[in-house]
Structures are given as C-alpha cells and as structure tokens.
Amino acid sequence: MTPIGKLWTVSYQPTGMRIRAIAAFCGLSLEIPDNFNFPVDNRSPEFESKFLSGMIPAFQGNDGFCLFETTAIAEYVASLAPDSGLLSASPKELALIHQWVSYADTEIGRYTNQTVKLLYSGPLYNKETHEQLTGYQTRSFDALEKHLSNRTFFVSDRITLADITMASVLSSALEHTLDAALRAKYPNIIEFYERIINHPNMKDINWAREYIEKAREYVPKE
Amino acid sequence: MASIGTLWTIPAQGGGKRIRAVAALGGINVDLPEKYTHYEDNKKPEFTNKFPHGKIPAFEGKDGFYLFEGSAIARYFASLSPNANLLGTTPKEAALVDQWVSFGDLEIGVFTSYIGQLVAGHLTPYAKPIHNTLAERQIRSFGTLEKHLSTRTFLVNERITLADIAIASVIQNALKVTFDAPLRARHPNIVRHFETVVNQPKLKDIYGETEYIEKAKQFVAPPKDKKEAAKPAAAAAAAPKAEKKPKAKEQDDDDDDVDLVPQEPKAKNPLDSLPKSEFNLEDWKRAYSNMDTRGPGGSLEWFYQKFDKEGFSVWRVDFKYNQELTQVFMSSNQIGGFFNRLEASRKYLFGSVGVLGTANNSIISGVLILRGHDVKPVVDVAPDWESYEFKRLDLANADDKKFFEAALAWDLEIGDKKWADGKNFK
C-alpha cells in the first residue's frame, strides 16, 4: 500500500500513536522515518523549514503538504478516508466528535502529562499540586464512566475520531495514573478501551496493554 | 437572523470571545446569558443536566443541541457560515487552521496561564526555575509565530480565519502577563497581526480593551500570612472573588484554564456554615494555656461554664496500632506529626493527646474538642486520620468526664499505663 505520507514521531509518543491508530483504522499507510533522532533532528534547519514549530508529531503528505500539531494531523488523516466514518458530514455530529476529542485532551490527557512532569520535577515536586491534578482527572473519569454506562461509542453508533482519541489518552493514563484501585470503579471505561484497542484494524498499535498497579508516586532523588 | 441558541460564557473568558468573534464574522446570531454567575450557576442541576462537566463555554442550541468544549463550539459555528470561510476553503487549509489554533492554545496559551498562576502563587509554590522554563518555552513559540507572520497578513490564506481569531485571543492574554514591551519589540509581526484582527470592525467590541504590560509579571512574595492563605486551593478560592479583572481573566480564560484552578471556592467549609456558637475555641485555648487545669479558677471550671454542647463536641482518640509503638519520645513525636497534619483544622479543633506507659509497652490516647458533632470533617484533613479511633464522649457520664479531665490535666491513666508525655493541639 502506498503511504499517504511521512509521520515524524517516536514510538513511545502517545500523540503519534493516536495518529498511527487513525491511519491504521482507515486502512491508510504512514511512513515513519527511522533515521530520525529525537530530540535533536527536529531542531535542525531542515526540519524547521518544513515544520516551523520544530515539534513532533509532524506530518508531510506525498504531495509535500506539511502539518504539525496532533489534532490537526489526526483530523487531516481521517479526512483522507471519508468512508471510514471517523468524521461526519453532519455539522452537529462532527461538532460532537470535536467536543469529545477536545475533552479527551484537556480533561484527561493534560492531567496525565502534568502529573508525569511533576513527578519528574525533582525538588520542585509539590504534593498538593499532584493531589489537585489527581482530583481533576478522577472527576473526569467519573464523568466518562457515567457517559459510557449506556453507550458503546462516544458519538453515534460507530467508532469515530473521538473514540480513538479517547483510547489514546486512556492508554497513557493506564500507564501512569489510572491504577488498579481506580480501575475497579470504572468498568465501563476499561471495557470501552479494550473494545477500541482490540479492533482488528488497530490491534497491532502499541497501546498500553499492561496497566499500572499503583499510580506513580514521587520518588525523591538523593 | 434568528438566534441559534445561547452561548454560556462570561465576558472575560478568552474561549468565549473566540466563539463570539466567529459568530460575528459568520453573521451568526447567538444569545449570551442574561444572568450567569460562574462557580455558582454552573454547579446547579439546570446547568449540569445539560452540561455534565459544568464547564464553560457551553452552547445550548434552540433545537436542544448541547455542545461543550470551546474549540468544538468555535468550529461548529464556523461550519454554520461557510461563506465566511473561517475554516479555509479546502481540507488542507482547514488542517492549517486546526494547526495554528492548536499551536496557539498548547504552545502559547497554556504558558500564559501557568505563568500567570505561578507568579500569583496559585498553582504550585513559586520556583524561579519553573518560571524560567515556562517563559523560555513560550518565547520559543513566539519566535515560531513571528517567523510565520513575517511573510503574511493572516495565518492560513489571504483572509481571516478561525486561526487568526484564536491566535489573537491567545496573544491578548499573553499581553497582560508575559508578552511585555521588550518581547513585543522583538516580535513586531505578532503585534501587527494581533492589532489587525482585534480592530476588525465586527470584532472590536468582542475583544474589548487590551492591556499591554510593560514588564512581564513577576512573583511577589505574599506578606507573612496564615498557612491557609498560602495553600493554592484557598488562594484560588479568593481569586475569583478578587476585583482585579486581569486575575479573573487568567483563571476564566480558555476552557482548560478555568479548571487549572479549583472550580469551587474551597473555603466553603461546612463547619463554617454551622449555626453560630457562643463557645469560643480560641478563648478556651488561652484559658487552657494560662490557667491550671484542675481546681477552682482552673480551665476545667472555665470550660464547664462556657462550653456549648450544641455547637461543639468532645471525643476520645486512640491510636489503633499501639503494638507498633516503641520509645516514648518517638510516640510523642508521632502525636506531634499527627497534629501538624491537622493544621488546616486549627480553628475547629483543640486536642490533648499523650503517650501512656513505657517503652514498647505504651498506648497513645487523649481527647479532642471540636466544632460540630462529627469528627470526620475536622480530622480527615490529616491523611493518617484513620490510624486513630474516635469515640464521642458524653460529659454527663461520670467515666467520660473523668477521662476528659485527666487527658486535659495530663494525668490520665488507662489500666496500668500512666501518662508519660503529651502534646496539645491549640
């Protein structure tokens, strides 16, 4: 299959994983440059002439079209496969897809990222802030669990961009914050997650399949 | 044109401005709430039934369509007026609009928000290294934006799009906190682009007045204050009520940032809502400290005269794991540690707790006088509160009264164990 373009990312980057999952779901092929040395090569003049921000993930289509920012790339790749159903021709349905994509990033993904940053901030670690972040994220999990109690997918009755996005932020959370104690409260979330990651088109993506036992804690460096 | 519905937002909210700007350029008529108080109305069932997460901006369509997440609403509105081309004219242009919107929010907006809260002492204890790292990241992003705008009027094509609106919104916030005079001098195209957008006739009133900060906000250490005031949560609670508009803006900006600060004013402690009591805990603490405990003219006598059993209660506290206790001084330290962790409840609590017995054969026991009739809200501020057992005492009961008095007088004996050392929480 001809790749639709190149995606600069690293295997452990959850946002890159999201884009790869989207492409896989749509039956599209992405070329992942393997001679890419992060975080050095992305600051090279050559890279920054294509991708001004110097950040990954970064996408270049076969026609030379250059794009950065995960949400932009995700949506663009999905738009290349209109029959995939990931997006929608209905403005309201599309709006709901965007709503849940945004929610996934700002109400779940963001807190995982901030928590991990905090845990590795050395002496700048602050327990109160950590607890605050955990509180926010748990509140979001509560809302998700409720939302998933009577639905299979986030929008309508099929996998959309919202579901893949949500699964990708849950994947990160399952490696850092969404521990056994919390998971016990959220059977719907876990069932949803496993449904998405085991979809035949996406099962080879490197989603988190071993979940963290206890949420990561601060380890002071001596 | 008829209104399509209501946009729940507040005038200062950047995320809301963005949507209103899209509506204005797209010729969409949307109502703003007549009466809405953030942190209050968004907690009520009328709101949360429609928008479970209780956040703004939120859109309520006249046809019953509910939508939250500012970016989704902005795009939805843009899609309703295709002639305005606010999302570009092709899928690639739409992708570039997305790119710049995302970049603006994630690579500029969040740093304004973090830095704003950091220097105000809201988010995490101020630390210059954090401030510097955040500032550098943001400056790098300003550089990216400046470069892109050095050869173009608008971000995506030759016309204004959602990307320009979003970036202008992000820059307007940065101008109040970080994007100061020296930075502006180095990024003239960002300034030019910003002023082009906010001065569009249809957008002037929406963006309103812009504050151009002279020097980027710096941290100013607060005056010596109670510990509660230094706590991020309590400080954030004070902030929404602050008159200073910039402060309110920082918190109510962009959907994400409304919530980096706790949504509810944490200061609403249920203990503060109890009916007023004549018993003054601070007076009691003074009496206990200044008078002998037992005997005429002592603090116990004072206590029985003044105590209000409707407003306060007395409790016995016992450590659950006495078999772990070793040296008396270490157990005494443990009590001290527990009391330290109860600091947040200082105005609701008095305690007199001791170690009884001898090394490797001791127990921790004592009494608490606390506000209200439920021990949990007062003591669960301490993460280890469940290592202790709490039993309500009835001072009309002779045994309970004896226990209470002895714990206060530090001469409590339980079985063959005598009071060896103690601590007071006062």
Side-chain angles (χ1 to χ4, degrees), chain B residues 228 266-274 279 281-282 285 311-313 315 342-351 368-372 374-375 377-379 381 425:
Chain B
E228 281 85 350
K266 214 150 179 224
K268 280 246 159 77
N269 190 323
L271 295 166
D272 290 328
S273 314
L274 293 173
F279 182 70
L281 197 62
E282 297 312 307
K285 290 175 181 179
F312 287 78
S313 53
W315 296 73
L342 289 169
E343 180 59 34
S345 284
R346 177 161 289 262
K347 36 178 220 180
Y348 312 116
L349 181 65
F350 167 88
L368 305 176
I369 303 171
L370 51 92
R371 190 71 170 97
D374 185 6
V375 68
V378 179
V379 302
V381 294
F425 182 95

Side-chain angles (χ1 to χ4, degrees), chain B residues 5-70:
Chain B
T6 302
L7 176 67
W8 296 95
T9 182
I10 54 178
Q13 186 177 35
K17 280 188 192 184
R18 196 182 294 198
I19 298 166
R20 287 157 52 207
V22 169
L25 290 181
I28 293 171
N29 193 349
V30 67
D31 297 323
L32 296 176
E34 272 176 25
K35 191 177 166 318
Y36 173 78
T37 308
H38 195 53
Y39 295 110
E40 286 180 21
D41 289 331
N42 57 312
K43 304 256 153 236
K44 297 185 180 156
E46 304 101 88
F47 193 90
T48 57
N49 285 339
K50 294 182 257 198
F51 309 108
H53 213 64
K55 297 213 173 143
I56 57 168
F59 172 66
E60 179 179 352
K62 279 237 155 78
D63 54 2
F65 177 57
Y66 299 130
L67 195 58
F68 52 91
E69 295 298 312

